[in-house]
Amino acid sequence: RKERKEKGFKHKATQRMSIRVSVNQSDVHINVHLNSSSSSSLSSQQRNTSTSSASSVNSQNIQNINVDNKQKQVTNTSTTPAPTQPHAESGGLAPSQLVASSQEVAVAAQNPIPTVANAPGSTEAAADKNDANLVQMVQSAVENTEEAQEEKPKAPPAPSKVPQYTPPGEGSDKESATSGGTAHILPEERKNASFSSEALMHFLDGGPEMTKKRRFILSPTKGTDASDKYNWDRTQVLKHHIKHFYEVHEDFWDNYKPTRQEVAWMMESAMFSGSLMNHYGLFLPTIESQGNEQQREWWSARSRRMQIIGSYAQTELGHGSNVRGLQTIAEYDKSTQEFVMNTPTLRSIKWWPGTLGKVATHAVVYAQLLINNKEYGVHAFIMQLRDENHQPLKGIELGDLGSKLGDHGNDTGYMVLDNVRIPREYMLAKYNQVTPSGEYVKSPQSKQNAKLAYATMMFTRGTMVTCSGGYLSRAVTIATRYSCIRTQGFTDTSKGASFRSQEKKIIDYQVQRYRVLKQLAFAYAIKFTGRWMTNKFLEMERPAATPPADNLRPPTPPSGGPATATTTTGKRNNAADIERLGNLEALPEIAATSAGLKAFCTIFVSQGIEDCRKCCGGNGYLLSSGVASLAADYVWQTTAEGDFIILALQTARFLLKSLQTALSGKPVTGPVSYLSPLASGPSALKSSKPQPAKSSSQFHDPSYLLQLYQYASLVTVFNVGNSFQTSFSQSNKFDEAWNAHAHLIPITRLLSSPALLFIVTTSPNWDWVICAPAAFLRSGSHFS
């Protein structure tokens, strides 16, 4: 390519381009034909890449690829390939973008990634010095490749009199042709606050020391220029994501392990989010939580150093939330002590995993375990996907799903498995093992609670709750600042108005202020609830005798806010609760809570971000506003790791079981303690009803608001449960009754009351949070 550039070669749409890469015994020849309809055909003849043997493998892969982002068609008619033969697949991007330079291929060949021969369960051990830093190879491959395309004519030079853009921080207080004269507005608004912004910051972070940690976590992004990212195509987005991720993290791989809270800060503040976040957020935690000691020792260290890059392959084309219905098969062959992996049907194809389309070298694959044709349920397996040339291994077909509404830095992909063999030791075996003879062994913990197999999914949902408050806060910040700067209408029209008359800030309109501050208060509440959830996960991962850490609990609230009425978070972190979690008895409660909060928070945050965008008027439609792209990039979270309706129904089941427990006179605690009055029977609905408010001022009383939340939750759950019980008694079949009755249940209403109650009571200063909109509206204060 360099020589062709130097000779002034100009590629045309109908011209054929040939690229050859030669390394040792390897000879790769790729023909790329691009025409005006943006379609490509690719053929590949490859020899054996082994440096110890010059024997060739006669094989051919023929693929027809439509590189239009909206559609991808692949036809694979390869003959029987050798185990090391890479697939010639493009996954929806231009084929020339998949070709690594000779130097990159040479580096990969000299430093092979862990394979079946040198991974756990093998008689050979690979030295650390032979491990390749694959993220560097992937980054280089993406960064240094070029898309063959027709040169576009250069745009004409801009007129010399066009006003020059004034960078942030260099604004002027004087309105002119190049300045709106608004530099003074936000500093003035901030001075109107009745509290210390620094104290509030420490309060949100969990104390001054946590603020220092957060600033350290975010320091690598300081000064990063992301102004042009809204003009990038998918290839550029992925390239910049990998490059930025590598630059930020490489100095800390061997000596720093972030906490869950620190990971949440990274995710909610990421400037170039994308593919590699799945590696740290899903792949690595699964190994840590479900792998035995040997597996963690082998895979975790390499994962942290990015010597392997992992995907989390659970979702299938035909199965998402119904994990028990997955159809990917892992059948044990005791004659070779291997699992044979297959996706036998169209519906069983792995579909939607991030990092799978282009970047991943390995994956945690969820599949149904079969031993002698007997089913043992869903288990997690480690699989290597790509070889040292970053091409799919024998029996594995990989591809990119194409363009999405947002989240373009994530190479969401698919995977087809055809008799792929992996060693017995590749099944994650912390809770369940398969012996060489094919005997299935369960650990005592696994016998106690089958939900342990879904721990990663539960943790992921909790992380999504924690991060959702951060995403909403970003949108609220943009909407608030815009509302303070933007003017609309004259302040006084009683005597007529000139176009020079003073105009009114839109934040001074009560409707606009209510819209913005409502989302602000909700962002605070979700952040505190996310902290509660993070604490619960930490407790569940810690031995029962270990006292809880205190660093995630908030300090004394900042001056200017009401005094704390209760601190539910602190009360729940007691020794009895820790012991209960250590025995896994609270896992169903945590699973139901994380599912319900994930459903509730993601759907409301998605709607909240969109309302913040609308608060910015037409300017909110521009990607450069920041809020428009945020809305598109976040909305996928309402369906990822469980659609919000499905998860709401899952929590509804937990609520109905808790209702039956309360009605039977047994104690109910934790998130459903508001059902306790029903121990005396349905008559408690009347006796528990709060007295009607005597004046509007009562609605500014936190204790009265809490009574209303509790009663609303009590009545809602009781009425839904009573209605369902009537339907169930008619059919005597739970699934039929649930299916027939679920659509009649206002799910969002059933979930909203208990979820809102839970959120406000897990906030350390819930009285301050839920009263914030009313207080701001009443005082006329601005929060900038």
Side-chain angles (χ1 to χ4, degrees):
R1 289 197 299 267
K2 183 178 180 181
E3 291 176 356
R4 294 164 76 87
K5 281 184 177 180
E6 291 174 352
K7 293 178 181 179
F9 172 77
K10 294 183 179 180
H11 177 69
K12 296 182 179 179
T14 58
Q15 191 163 1
R16 187 175 295 270
M17 181 175 70
S18 178
I19 302 175
R20 182 179 295 272
V21 180
S22 298
V23 181
N24 299 329
Q25 308 294 332
S26 175
D27 189 281
V28 182
H29 188 196
I30 299 178
N31 289 315
V32 181
H33 178 69
L34 297 177
N35 55 36
S36 57
S37 62
S38 298
S39 64
S40 300
S41 63
L42 175 141
S43 63
S44 177
Q45 289 278 351
Q46 301 180 335
R47 298 177 187 170
N48 194 337
T49 57
S50 173
T51 58
S52 61
S53 173
S55 62
S56 64
V57 179
N58 297 320
S59 61
Q60 186 178 24
N61 284 338
I62 302 174
Q63 297 184 334
N64 296 317
I65 302 170
N66 185 341
V67 297
D68 186 286
N69 285 333
K70 295 182 180 178
Q71 187 177 7
K72 175 179 184 293
Q73 297 177 344
V74 178
T75 304
N76 191 338
T77 59
S78 62
T79 58
T80 305
T84 58
Q85 179 199 3
H87 291 225
E89 72 78 47
S90 75
L93 299 180
S96 58
Q97 293 172 322
L98 298 175
V99 183
S101 68
S102 58
Q103 182 181 1
E104 293 156 2
V105 178
V107 171
Q110 293 169 8
N111 300 284
I113 56 179
T115 61
V116 171
N118 54 21
S122 170
T123 57
E124 301 179 18
D128 287 344
K129 63 181 180 181
N130 292 326
D131 292 335
N133 194 330
L134 291 183
V135 70
Q136 191 169 12
M137 184 184 76
V138 174
Q139 175 215 335
S140 299
V142 176
E143 184 177 7
N144 295 330
T145 54
E146 301 174 304
E147 183 175 2
Q149 58 181 348
E150 187 174 3
E151 283 194 356
K152 298 180 181 179
K154 294 182 179 180
S160 59
K161 294 185 178 180
V162 172
Q164 296 299 310
Y165 169 68
T166 303
E170 299 180 15
S172 171
D173 291 336
K174 184 178 180 181
E175 189 170 5
S176 66
T178 60
S179 173
T182 59
H184 63 288
I185 293 179
L186 291 181
E188 288 181 355
E189 290 285 354
R190 294 186 179 108
K191 290 179 181 178
N192 292 333
S194 59
F195 51 85
S196 166
S197 59
E198 183 178 5
L200 177 60
M201 177 174 59
H202 295 331
F203 179 61
L204 291 171
D205 291 336
E209 290 302 315
M210 294 297 284
T211 296
K212 290 180 182 178
K213 282 189 176 182
R214 179 180 59 80
R215 285 173 168 168
F216 165 74
I217 292 295
L218 304 184
S219 61
T221 63
K222 188 174 182 180
T224 302
D225 182 10
S227 58
D228 196 42
K229 69 177 183 178
Y230 304 113
N231 300 316
W232 295 339
D233 59 25
R234 289 182 60 222
T235 303
Q236 291 173 309
V237 172
L238 182 57
K239 180 191 75 171
H240 282 279
H241 160 68
I242 292 175
K243 181 177 183 294
H244 181 73
F245 195 97
Y246 185 85
E247 291 173 346
V248 168
H249 292 85
E250 63 177 329
D251 291 337
F252 305 100
W253 287 337
D254 293 322
N255 53 25
Y256 187 76
K257 185 176 180 180
T259 65
R260 290 190 180 277
Q261 179 59 61
E262 290 167 351
V263 170
W265 283 331
M266 296 177 192
M267 294 179 65
E268 66 186 34
S269 303
M271 301 176 68
F272 303 103
S273 60
S275 180
L276 297 179
M277 297 177 75
N278 298 288
H279 171 80
Y280 275 116
L282 292 169
F283 177 76
L284 181 55
T286 303
I287 296 174
E288 293 281 1
S289 64
Q290 298 192 45
N292 61 26
E293 184 176 354
Q294 182 189 15
Q295 291 169 333
R296 292 195 302 271
E297 182 180 348
W298 177 265
W299 298 111
S300 295
R302 288 161 176 78
S303 298
R304 283 193 293 270
R305 298 191 200 107
M306 301 297 284
Q307 292 171 335
I308 61 175
I309 304 171
S311 176
Y312 182 79
Q314 175 179 291
T315 304
E316 299 176 351
L317 181 60
H319 298 87
S321 302
N322 183 18
V323 179
R324 291 183 299 175
L326 294 178
Q327 294 182 357
T328 302
I329 302 298
E331 189 169 6
Y332 183 64
D333 182 354
K334 63 182 179 182
S335 65
T336 61
Q337 295 188 32
E338 294 174 320
F339 293 105
V340 184
M341 312 292 291
N342 278 287
T343 51
T345 65
L346 180 67
R347 296 174 62 207
S348 67
I349 294 174
K350 292 302 181 184
W351 192 265
W352 277 119
T355 317
L356 190 62
K358 291 290 156 195
V359 177
T361 64
H362 292 68
V364 170
V365 180
Y366 281 78
Q368 299 285 356
L369 174 62
L370 297 182
I371 304 176
N372 296 326
N373 207 33
K374 181 179 178 181
E375 298 180 13
Y376 288 89
V378 176
H379 291 70
F381 302 82
I382 295 286
M383 284 186 62
Q384 181 176 337
L385 307 179
R386 292 179 167 95
D387 64 12
E388 65 274 12
N389 295 323
H390 209 66
Q391 297 297 318
L393 297 174
K394 176 185 176 182
I396 302 177
E397 180 183 339
L398 301 169
D400 183 89
L401 295 184
S403 297
K404 307 181 291 288
L405 178 64
D407 194 33
H408 301 304
N410 199 346
D411 53 330
T412 310
Y414 74 89
M415 177 170 63
V416 180
L417 302 176
D418 183 13
N419 290 321
V420 180
R421 289 179 171 267
I422 60 174
R424 176 180 62 88
E425 291 81 2
Y426 277 32
M427 186 182 92
L428 295 181
K430 182 177 182 179
Y431 300 113
N432 307 289
Q433 300 86 36
V434 176
T435 66
S437 62
E439 180 185 359
Y440 182 74
V441 181
K442 273 189 173 184
S443 70
Q445 288 176 306
S446 180
K447 292 178 181 179
Q448 183 178 357
N449 204 308
K451 290 184 181 293
L452 286 169
Y454 311 132
T456 300
M457 186 166 57
M458 182 177 64
F459 290 149
T460 301
R461 290 168 179 170
T463 301
M464 294 171 79
V465 172
T466 303
C467 293
S468 60
Y471 286 112
L472 182 57
S473 66
R474 290 166 62 182
V476 168
T477 300
I478 296 171
T480 304
R481 291 174 177 172
Y482 180 84
S483 298
C484 292
I485 297 294
R486 175 75 181 199
T487 58
Q488 177 71 33
F490 298 110
T491 56
D492 185 4
T493 59
S494 59
K495 299 180 180 179
S498 165
F499 71 90
R500 296 186 178 88
S501 299
Q502 184 177 356
E503 294 184 81
K504 196 171 187 177
K505 300 173 185 177
I506 61 175
I507 192 67
D508 290 330
Y509 288 97
Q510 193 174 55
V511 169
Q512 180 80 354
R513 198 184 311 165
Y514 174 75
R515 291 172 67 187
V516 172
L517 295 178
K518 178 178 70 173
Q519 304 302 338
L520 175 68
F522 195 55
Y524 284 159
I526 295 178
K527 273 184 168 291
F528 296 134
T529 299
R531 184 176 296 155
W532 177 91
M533 182 130 283
T534 299
N535 271 330
K536 285 300 180 185
F537 289 154
L538 290 174
E539 292 165 4
M540 192 164 62
E541 294 172 327
R542 203 167 32 240
T546 305
D550 224 24
N551 63 345
L552 288 179
R553 298 183 194 168
T556 305
S559 58
T564 303
T566 58
T567 308
T568 311
T569 306
K571 289 182 179 178
R572 288 180 180 165
N573 286 327
N574 51 45
D577 199 22
I578 298 296
E579 184 177 358
R580 191 165 60 94
L581 286 166
N583 294 327
L584 302 177
E585 294 177 2
L587 192 56
E589 175 187 309
I590 298 295
T593 303
S594 64
L597 287 175
K598 186 271 176 185
F600 181 82
C601 292
T602 55
I603 192 65
F604 274 80
V605 166
S606 177
Q607 294 171 353
I609 294 174
E610 174 62 14
D611 197 42
C612 287
R613 185 193 68 77
K614 293 174 181 175
C615 284
C616 297
N619 290 309
Y621 193 65
L622 290 169
L623 289 177
S624 58
S625 69
V627 69
S629 60
L630 184 62
D633 288 342
Y634 181 81
V635 71
W636 65 270
Q637 298 203 30
T638 60
T639 51
E641 298 301 327
D643 177 78
F644 77 99
I645 290 294
I646 301 298
L647 294 185
L649 286 169
Q650 180 178 326
T651 304
R653 288 196 181 203
F654 174 77
L655 291 174
L656 294 186
K657 288 181 180 179
S658 300
L659 174 64
Q660 294 301 317
T661 301
L663 289 172
S664 66
K666 298 178 181 178
V668 285
T669 59
V672 292
S673 58
Y674 59 87
L675 297 174
S676 297
L678 293 175
S680 59
S683 60
L685 291 175
K686 185 175 182 181
S687 59
S688 301
K689 185 176 181 179
Q691 294 296 317
K694 297 180 180 179
S695 66
S696 60
S697 62
Q698 271 191 268
F699 292 103
H700 300 299
D701 179 2
S703 61
Y704 185 69
L705 290 175
L706 183 60
Q707 292 178 40
L708 295 180
Y709 272 117
Q710 290 173 333
Y711 187 70
S713 301
L714 175 66
V715 172
T716 301
V717 174
F718 177 82
N719 288 341
V720 171
N722 187 54
S723 180
F724 172 76
Q725 190 61 36
T726 301
S727 176
F728 175 63
S729 62
Q730 294 174 355
S731 65
N732 203 31
K733 294 181 179 180
F734 182 88
D735 290 333
E736 289 186 7
W738 187 259
N739 184 47
H741 194 69
H743 75 283
L744 300 176
I745 300 175
I747 292 300
T748 53
R749 176 170 169 257
L750 171 63
L751 188 61
S752 291
S753 294
L756 284 171
L757 172 62
F758 182 80
I759 285 174
V760 298
T761 54
T762 53
S763 298
N765 249 40
W766 60 266
D767 48 352
W768 189 34
V769 171
I770 62 179
C771 291
F776 278 119
L777 290 174
R778 181 179 56 192
S779 65
S781 300
H782 300 163
F783 189 94
S784 305

